[in-house]
Amino acid sequence: MTQWTSAVGAAQLARQLNAQSRPVGPGTRKPPAYRALAEGVRLLVLEGRVPVAARLPAERELALALSVSRTTVAAAYEALRAEGFLESRRGAGSWTAVPAGNPLPARGLEPLPPESLGSMIDLGCASLPAPEPWLTRAVQGALEELPPYAHTHGDYPAGLPALRQMLADRYTERGIPTMPEQIMVTTGAMGAMDAICHLFAGRGERIAVESPSYANILQLMREAGARLVPVAMGDELTGWDLGRWRQVLRDAAPRLAYVVADFHNPTGALADEDQRRQLVEAARSAGTVLVVDETMTELYLDDGIEMPRPVCAFDPAGSTVLTVGSASKAFWAGMRIGWVRAAPDVIRSLVAARAYADLGTPVLEQLAVNWLMRTGGWEEAVAVRRGQARENRDALIAAVRRELPDWEFDVPRGGLTLWVRTGGLSGSRLAEVGERVGVRVPSGPRFGVDGAFEGYVRLPFTVSGPVADEAAARLAAAAKLVESGASTGAESPRTFVA
């Protein structure tokens, strides 16, 4: 029986390998070509960017794609087999593996288990601890309102009517008249995106995405079988390049497009009002459904920011723009409440399809979010959240500038993430070596397509004070090890999920 479950083409693997290659510094001995190739494949497997049990190209095909000899590829494959990262069988080819005792690498961004936090500084998850006392008050308020719902079956595929009305009213207050019939409550923003992808983008459909974009959403789309079409962001933090977007929407005709207009994850960019209007017009002309992620909308951090109108303001009926919101970033990631705003017929289709997925979102959490929004607790908690994120941002930026003066970034005015150029170092190698020195950081390629952004890492605003200083010091230590070539070799560090 065939042991592989997917395949990686020679051209795709070559792009990923070439993207993570780096120049050898003075005084550093260049490893043999086969060793460098084996290490590159190993790193892709450890980061989850090439899945386990993926069939690799034949030696001759990969040699041609990389412009190296077949002997080099054969020696690299043999080294990977010896290390446990490759298995082969005559007639079935060679496929990726992990050595016995290693956990399987995941392919998205997941939080570090709490038991590991004592020795590891986690810069992988862009989420803050729950704001108190608002979380406790919200849960207590929800418990008081629970009894009438406990006498029902508890399944509300579209969401609790009270919360749908509340969310609709909030959109109306923002200048976009909205009915409850235009709202579906979901299990987080990821639940919303999963439902949208399954309804609109079947296997093989094209989805246009910002480049870079949020890693977990990109992986969700890949797992759904979508063909991702990357569209480069504008320079610095200026939002979108509308010329590129028009060209992609016209030439590729994607079924969906996914964007984060407010404090983009990972770059922190804020699209202006004219960009929003133009993108909606371009999507409408191309027949593309535009999915707008608003999870960072309320996390403006600097004084004097005048927020543009929401993207859905330029399509109030919701026929072109589907808006996704969530309590996870603005309030707490443990509050798995998200929502979709769209045209009523789209909402009905999403609700109908949900019967084959999760049936509905937990009632208690919906009641808690509704309580927060009804009593003003939401605004109070989000204000505290902004203060925490602002303090963390400023502390992290100061520490990185002190410890890593060659690293470059533009300071975002909101959101939870800093997108950092690493002075020519490989982000993948920094992520690997960082784990050894006690700091967990996601590499740039996780936020791109086919190995893009190897020279970047994403740093979230989740630490402050002495912890921010120590995180930057550990990143500096990792950078020195990468510069010295200490990340090469056959040893296998503990695999992590960034």
Side-chain angles (χ1 to χ4, degrees), residues 233-249:
M233 296 288 292
D235 295 334
E236 297 179 343
L237 299 184
T238 56
W240 304 315
D241 184 324
L242 266 299
R244 290 170 175 164
W245 271 103
R246 290 192 194 93
Q247 181 179 358
V248 167
L249 294 178

Side-chain angles (χ1 to χ4, degrees), residues 164 181 184 199 343-354:
R164 296 177 74 194
E181 292 80 7
M184 180 176 83
L199 180 63
D345 62 317
V346 173
I347 293 297
R348 286 193 294 270
S349 296
L350 288 169
V351 170
R354 193 174 193 180

Side-chain angles (χ1 to χ4, degrees), residues 301-324:
L301 304 183
D302 291 345
D303 295 332
I305 293 182
E306 185 174 345
M307 291 296 293
R309 283 184 289 171
V311 179
C312 60
F314 304 101
D315 179 52
S319 57
T320 296
V321 177
L322 276 61
T323 303
V324 172

Side-chain angles (χ1 to χ4, degrees), residues 315-479:
D315 179 52
S319 57
T320 296
V321 177
L322 276 61
T323 303
V324 172
S326 172
S328 296
K329 299 299 184 184
F331 187 75
W332 184 46
M335 189 72 76
R336 303 304 304 160
I337 298 296
W339 52 87
V340 180
R341 181 198 180 275
D345 62 317
V346 173
I347 293 297
R348 286 193 294 270
S349 296
L350 288 169
V351 170
R354 193 174 193 180
Y356 307 101
D358 62 357
L359 293 178
T361 302
V363 170
L364 188 63
E365 283 86 340
Q366 292 188 71
L367 289 172
V369 170
N370 189 61
W371 185 93
L372 283 166
M373 292 180 172
R374 189 183 71 246
T375 62
W378 178 270
E379 283 72 22
E380 294 174 1
V382 171
V384 170
R385 175 68 80 230
R386 291 192 198 106
Q388 293 172 327
R390 184 185 307 113
E391 177 184 345
N392 291 358
R393 179 196 63 181
D394 296 346
L396 184 63
I397 286 172
V400 171
R401 282 176 170 164
R402 182 178 62 252
E403 297 288 345
L404 294 151
D406 293 337
W407 287 18
E408 299 175 308
F409 49 84
D410 299 303
V411 179
R413 303 188 68 191
L416 289 172
T417 59
L418 190 67
W419 186 236
V420 182
R421 296 176 287 275
T422 56
L425 298 180
S426 161
S428 298
R429 288 176 169 83
L430 283 167
E432 180 189 18
V433 177
E435 174 112 343
R436 302 183 197 175
V437 300
V439 59
R440 180 172 177 263
V441 58
S443 65
R446 288 188 174 274
F447 303 87
V449 178
D450 281 350
F453 307 109
E454 186 60 56
Y456 289 79
V457 293
R458 189 195 73 172
L459 305 180
F461 310 146
T462 54
V463 294
S464 186
V467 181
D469 294 337
E470 179 62 22
R474 294 184 187 185
L475 282 172

